[in-house]
Amino acid sequence: AQLREAFGDLALFFYDQHGGEVIGVLWKPSSFQPQPFKASNVKGRMVTSRGGELVMVPNVEAILEDWAILGEGLVQAVEARSERWTV
């Protein structure tokens, strides 16, 4: 619930409600589309320049670190697996 509340605009979270030990995360494709810079839209994003324009993109490394911090005491590891990008 904490992950969904904090990062639900960027990703979908899945778990086995019958006792599984893994939380699956699926990034929303729209979260990787550059957004215009807005001070109110900074959460989980960083500012970068694209074509001379300042835009917001997800700060994947910081988000993964936040997930580990939120799960402190419960989370053993956060693994990023993707064929399209690496951290």
Side-chain angles (χ1 to χ4, degrees):
Q2 288 178 331
L3 289 171
R4 285 182 180 146
E5 183 178 327
F7 300 98
D9 58 327
L10 298 173
L12 301 171
F13 298 90
F14 303 92
Y15 70 99
D16 181 353
Q17 58 187 339
H18 301 292
E21 297 181 359
V22 175
I23 295 175
V25 181
L26 178 63
W27 293 100
K28 293 180 179 179
S30 62
S31 66
F32 286 93
Q33 294 177 350
Q35 304 291 321
F37 174 75
K38 292 183 192 174
S40 62
N41 198 23
V42 175
K43 182 177 73 173
R45 292 182 167 84
M46 62 184 176
V47 178
T48 188
S49 179
R50 297 237 173 123
E53 183 180 339
L54 292 179
V55 294
M56 305 291 294
V57 295
N59 187 343
V60 176
E61 289 183 26
I63 292 170
L64 296 178
E65 187 177 327
D66 287 349
W67 293 347
I69 291 168
L70 278 174
E72 188 174 354
L74 297 173
V75 173
Q76 293 177 355
V78 175
E79 296 178 25
R81 296 183 184 179
S82 177
E83 297 166 359
R84 296 184 185 165
W85 54 267
T86 58
V87 178

